[in-house]
């Protein structure tokens, strides 16, 4: 069984709770060892019931495998939280309408879905590279593990604000939102090989930045990519040009010596540009289809959220982007559709 197939089977389990999801991944990554920070305390929900190994050192799965599989499978948790948040927003009435009639609530839902879609594209790309045993897999998986966990936690935080008091009061039947928010925030701490993946990526950052793979930052500079966006997604031209310029600048910086802090900052920026490349690659592959990955407005929203992280200033999404993402979220909640991976959703050509 490929990693992609294992991840796809595990996502529904993560949708129930993260502990069940890790159980479903056990054939790939083994039983997870606890990696509590010294003197620290992690408040979780479902993970309190997970049977950890006595020591993290007992883990036998390679770090690359854990880092590829766990964030990709954990998309099932935020997927379930998003579906429940839509149901909540339709069921809860405020100010003469539903929660989803409130502009701020709609913006929160749109931002959460955009971050989830970005994590999906990025982690799917990493899984496909790992399954193909590509030379670039180690660096791609490391930056994906780092950023995917941040994106999942941020998306869950947006959902928690959308749910308001329902989040911390754990009001039935929406208490699963609170459960997933807590568990996704704790995931990178409790799964040892997910912690601090960027140092493992530093050695290969220069090579990755100059790679022309569809999920590498340099792919943002491809003429065919620029032409496709100009033709089919004109609203995304500006943000794509900005990200492509950042990719070129980052590639030039990647070979220069730097202190440890600057090196980690560079690797974080590389992870953001890798996510942008993965989102665009997924859109290029799905263009013309009805899949959400092929929607130019969804792609633009993801790129704008990524750009906000690059410049450390996150402006609100434009009204047309919010409307399209909310419509996607409502359609997904109504259909019960789950995020897929593998041949039907791969963002990287396996060549």
């Amino acid at each position: 069984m490929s990693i992609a197939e294992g991840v796809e089977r595990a996502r529904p389990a993560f949708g129930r709770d993260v502990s069940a999801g890790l159980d479903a991944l056990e054939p790939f990554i083994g039983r997870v060892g606890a990696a509590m920070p010294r003197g620290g305390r992690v408040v979780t929900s479902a993970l309190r019931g997970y049977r950890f190994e006595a020591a993290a050192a007992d883990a036998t799965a390679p770090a690359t495998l854990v880092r590829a599989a766990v964030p990709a499978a954990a998309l099932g948790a935020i997927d379930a939280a998003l579906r429940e948040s839509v149901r909540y927003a339709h069921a809860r009435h405020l100010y003469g309408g539903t929660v989803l009639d409130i502009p701020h609530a709609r913006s929160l839902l749109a931002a959460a879905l955009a971050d989830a879609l970005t994590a999906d594209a990025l982690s799917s790309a990493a899984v496909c590279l790992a399954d193909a045993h590509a030379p670039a897999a180690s660096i791609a998986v490391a930056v994906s593990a780092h950023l995917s966990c941040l994106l999942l936690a941020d998306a869950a935080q947006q959902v928690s604000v959308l749910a308001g008091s329902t989040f911390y009061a754990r009001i039935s039947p929406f208490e699963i939102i609170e459960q997933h928010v807590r568990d996704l925030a704790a995931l990178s701490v409790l799964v040892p090989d997910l912690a601090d993946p960027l140092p493992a990526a530093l050695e290969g950052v220069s090579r990755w930045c100059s790679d022309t793979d569809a999920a590498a930052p340099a792919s943002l500079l491809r003429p065919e990519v620029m032409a496709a966006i100009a033709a089919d997604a004109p609203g995304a031209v500006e943000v794509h040009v900005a990200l492509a310029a950042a990719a070129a600048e980052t590639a030039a910086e990647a070979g220069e010596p730097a202190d440890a802090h600057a090196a980690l900052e560079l690797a974080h920026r590389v992870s953001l540009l890798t996510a942008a490349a993965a989102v665009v690659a997924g859109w290029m592959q799905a263009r013309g289809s009805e899949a959400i990955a092929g929607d130019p407005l969804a792609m633009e929203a993801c790129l704008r959220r990524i750009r906000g992280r690059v410049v450390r200033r996150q402006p609100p999404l434009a009204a047309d982007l919010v409307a399209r993402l909310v419509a996607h979220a409502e359609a997904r909640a109504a259909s019960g559709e789950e995020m897929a991976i593998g041949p039907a959703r791969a963002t990287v050509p396996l060549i």
Side-chain angles (χ1 to χ4, degrees):
M1 184 189 300
S2 67
I3 303 173
E5 290 170 332
V7 164
E8 191 155 285
R9 292 187 181 188
R11 279 188 174 180
F14 270 92
R16 295 193 298 275
D17 65 65
V18 172
S19 180
L22 291 175
D23 282 338
L25 281 179
E26 187 171 352
F28 285 96
I29 65 173
R31 179 58 52 171
V32 172
M36 292 290 288
R38 180 179 298 178
R41 191 166 72 94
V42 178
V43 179
T44 72
S45 184
L47 274 171
R48 285 184 299 212
Y50 184 74
R51 181 178 56 82
F52 288 98
E53 287 288 0
D58 292 343
T60 57
T64 297
L65 178 58
V66 175
R67 289 170 178 166
V70 173
L75 256 295
I78 193 62
D79 207 15
L82 282 167
R83 288 196 300 271
E84 286 303 316
S85 68
V86 171
R87 296 186 183 109
Y88 161 78
H90 278 304
R92 177 84 164 131
H93 286 75
L94 291 171
Y95 312 119
T98 69
V99 166
L100 212 51
D101 293 325
I102 301 172
H104 181 57
R106 294 171 63 82
S107 294
L108 289 169
L109 179 59
L113 180 55
D115 288 350
L117 291 172
T118 300
D120 185 32
L122 179 60
S123 60
S124 294
V127 164
C128 291
L129 286 169
D131 269 336
H133 303 288
S138 59
I139 172 68
V141 166
V143 299
S144 171
H146 160 72
L147 188 58
S148 292
C149 286
L150 293 180
L151 289 168
L152 291 174
D154 284 354
Q157 179 62 30
Q158 302 282 340
V159 167
S160 75
V161 177
L162 173 64
S165 63
T166 299
F167 163 69
Y168 53 81
R170 303 195 69 187
I171 297 173
S172 179
F174 304 112
E175 62 267 30
I176 194 171
I177 298 175
E178 185 261 1
Q179 174 183 298
H180 284 324
V181 170
R182 290 181 183 274
D183 288 344
L184 287 172
L187 199 60
S188 62
V189 176
L190 292 176
V191 179
D193 288 318
L194 286 181
D196 301 323
L198 285 190
L202 292 178
E203 185 177 344
V205 161
S206 178
R207 172 171 48 84
W208 179 238
C209 285
S210 61
D211 200 326
T212 56
D213 186 277
S219 68
L220 293 168
L221 300 166
R222 288 179 174 178
E224 62 269 28
V225 170
M226 295 182 175
I229 290 176
D232 294 352
V237 168
E238 172 211 354
V239 66
H240 171 257
V241 167
L243 289 168
E249 180 184 342
T250 301
E253 294 178 15
E256 298 176 2
D259 60 42
H261 177 74
L264 290 173
E265 284 287 322
L266 177 67
H268 175 66
R269 196 188 333 149
V270 169
S271 72
L272 290 166
L273 295 169
T274 300
V279 167
V280 171
W283 175 74
M284 291 280 287
Q285 190 173 23
R287 282 170 73 198
S289 73
E290 294 183 358
I292 189 172
D295 186 333
L297 291 183
M299 182 267 290
E300 180 186 345
C302 293
L303 293 187
R304 291 195 179 279
R305 293 281 297 172
I306 293 168
R307 172 65 175 164
R309 288 182 166 89
V310 171
V311 301
R312 293 182 169 83
R313 186 178 64 255
Q314 196 65 262
L317 293 172
D320 60 334
L321 303 182
V322 170
R324 182 62 61 86
L325 287 170
V326 168
H328 278 302
E330 290 179 304
R332 291 173 64 80
S335 68
E337 176 190 0
E338 295 178 343
M339 288 181 174
I341 197 171
R345 180 60 183 83
T347 57
V348 188
L350 300 183
I351 56 174

